[in-house]
Amino acid sequence: MSSSYSHELTTALLAVQRATLLTQRVFHNNAKGTLSKDDASPVTIGDFGAQALIISALRHNFPKDEIVGEEEASPLRENPSLAEQIFTLVEDATLEDGEAEKQLGGGVKDMNAMLGAINAGQSKGGSKGRIWALDPVDGTKGFLRGGQYAVCLALIVDGDVKVGVLGCPNLPIDDAAPISADVGNGEGRGVLFAAVKGEGAMSRPLTKGRISKGKEISMKEVDDITQATFCESVEAAHSSHGDQAEIAKRLGITKQSVRMDSQAKYGSIARGAGDLYLRLPVRKDYQEKIWDHAAGDLIVREAGGEVTDAEGGRLDFGVGRTLKKNKGVVAAPKGVHGRVLEVVKEVLGGQ
């Protein structure tokens, strides 16, 4: 499929794929080098290493683009031994296909280059120009507990998401596999989801070299909403489990929700393994980060779904580093999104 964003898509797919080589190595290591950020959220050597690899590839291919990244390098400048540990992992994360590595600009040259790459994700975002939104390890708590996580990258042009890629190393490759937070034994796992605006969504197996052949994915039509499967975040601090349970009850859904970390939820419903994704605000002042939703939002919409906030407005990725104009996320097949949103408003409006 020819695309006006074919270079961006190929770069994003390869960059995310290479970063998952590093994150999976860290995932299977008991010592993940965890630090706490100012907001007490955890960050691991996987976060720093993946961010360095992806930003290095983006700067090589699109040197004028801005980048909104989750991490910054000051903790590593204060902890040289941790920085050395991460650089060793970054050096070792190499795709097995030489041409693919060349497309990404090769490896990160030295420690200063690594720290510079990590720190190049400080864009303030906004509605003008080309801005990449990067979450190097989305679902860090899931990553730490051995659950689902995702490496997430999206290109936003003038406030509109044009390209989205999710690398989900612990999801089944099989699009028809039932949705589960379980990661199994690693066999038959590792999937790349991707979408370009107006061109549909695809999934393909993660590899260690060149990009594998993709296949189109689409959301499952839901004829009987009482039979729908809905996904929500594991962490109660991220999403109101009580409100979501009440919404499910009013919709007549009796199946247990699937609690899963990261944007793996977006990928799962986009390919029809699940049906609904609800992420309702836990407090009025909470602002979602654009890197937590940009790629998943596009992939679900290109797979035939609808994604809005709890008021029915589209997510606005053009107002900075956060979704400050939106509260909550409601993702569902187009045919039932209106009904789900109606019940969301009933439940939230009664508070």
Side-chain angles (χ1 to χ4, degrees):
M1 179 190 298
S2 64
S3 162
S4 56
Y5 288 100
S6 59
H7 182 198
E8 289 84 350
L9 176 62
T10 300
T11 301
L13 285 166
L14 285 172
V16 167
Q17 184 157 277
R18 182 171 69 171
T20 64
L21 299 179
L22 182 149
T23 60
Q24 279 300 84
R25 188 168 171 188
V26 177
F27 181 83
H28 293 295
N29 189 336
N30 291 330
K32 295 183 172 63
T34 315
L35 303 172
S36 283
K37 291 191 273 196
D38 291 342
D39 62 359
S41 60
V43 56
T44 70
I45 55 179
D47 294 82
F48 289 120
Q51 179 150 320
L53 286 166
I54 291 173
I55 291 182
S56 176
L58 293 177
R59 291 168 94 188
H60 175 76
N61 283 275
F62 311 107
K64 294 182 180 177
D65 290 5
E66 292 187 27
I67 303 165
V68 173
E70 184 170 11
E71 312 307 339
E72 51 93 21
S74 59
L76 303 185
R77 296 188 192 280
E78 295 161 11
N79 191 336
S81 64
L82 184 62
E84 284 287 352
Q85 188 181 354
I86 294 166
F87 184 60
T88 299
L89 287 163
V90 168
E91 275 191 307
D92 290 345
T94 305
L95 293 169
E96 292 173 356
D97 182 73
E99 192 55 40
E101 264 297 316
K102 188 177 174 184
Q103 282 183 261
L104 297 180
V108 178
K109 302 296 182 285
D110 53 34
M111 176 72 73
N112 282 337
M114 181 186 82
L115 296 174
I118 293 169
N119 249 9
Q122 301 303 302
S123 168
K124 291 182 167 55
S127 61
K128 300 295 180 191
R130 289 166 52 101
I131 301 166
W132 293 88
L134 164 64
D135 193 341
V137 175
D138 181 32
T140 302
K141 289 184 178 177
F143 184 72
L144 286 167
R145 81 168 86 79
Q148 295 293 343
Y149 75 94
V151 178
C152 314
L153 184 61
L155 174 63
I156 302 164
V157 181
D158 297 333
D160 195 24
V161 185
K162 300 293 189 183
V163 178
V165 172
L166 297 175
C168 302
N170 294 331
L171 280 182
I173 294 168
D174 182 3
D175 290 327
I179 188 169
S180 169
D182 177 51
V183 301
N185 62 3
E187 289 294 315
R189 302 213 171 228
V191 60
L192 264 175
F193 296 103
V196 174
K197 187 171 182 184
E199 297 179 14
M202 303 190 88
S203 79
R204 50 173 52 81
L206 273 167
T207 75
K208 295 181 178 181
R210 65 183 62 187
I211 301 164
S212 58
K213 185 174 171 54
K215 61 178 183 176
E216 288 191 28
I217 55 171
S218 59
M219 290 196 78
K220 189 172 62 185
E221 286 188 24
V222 176
D223 298 319
D224 179 359
I225 201 163
T226 66
Q227 299 303 306
T229 299
F230 93 86
C231 313
E232 59 183 347
S233 298
V234 175
E235 300 294 330
H238 294 167
S239 192
S240 177
H241 289 163
D243 289 338
Q244 285 152 199
E246 179 60 25
I247 289 160
K249 180 180 171 186
R250 293 193 191 192
L251 288 169
I253 297 171
T254 55
K255 279 190 218 171
Q256 187 73 31
S257 71
V258 177
R259 290 184 179 172
M260 182 185 287
D261 296 282
S262 84
Q263 289 184 67
K265 294 183 286 292
Y266 280 113
S268 293
I269 69 168
R271 63 178 176 176
D275 301 305
L276 318 175
Y277 167 32
L278 300 177
R279 184 175 171 110
L280 302 182
V282 288
R283 58 176 205 269
K284 289 184 178 176
D285 63 342
Y286 184 71
Q287 294 182 5
E288 298 281 354
K289 310 297 191 298
I290 64 171
W291 53 76
D292 283 331
H293 299 280
D297 170 90
L298 179 66
I299 289 165
V300 165
R301 287 188 292 107
E302 287 297 318
E306 192 74 59
V307 185
T308 69
D309 64 14
E311 292 291 321
R314 278 280 304 276
L315 302 187
D316 189 343
F317 295 98
V319 290
R321 290 172 69 90
T322 68
L323 295 171
K324 62 184 74 170
K325 289 188 176 178
N326 305 106
K327 293 295 179 191
V329 176
V330 179
K334 282 182 179 173
V336 296
H337 185 275
R339 173 61 183 144
V340 176
L341 187 63
E342 189 182 306
V343 175
V344 168
K345 289 178 178 178
E346 282 174 14
V347 170
L348 298 186
Q351 294 176 355

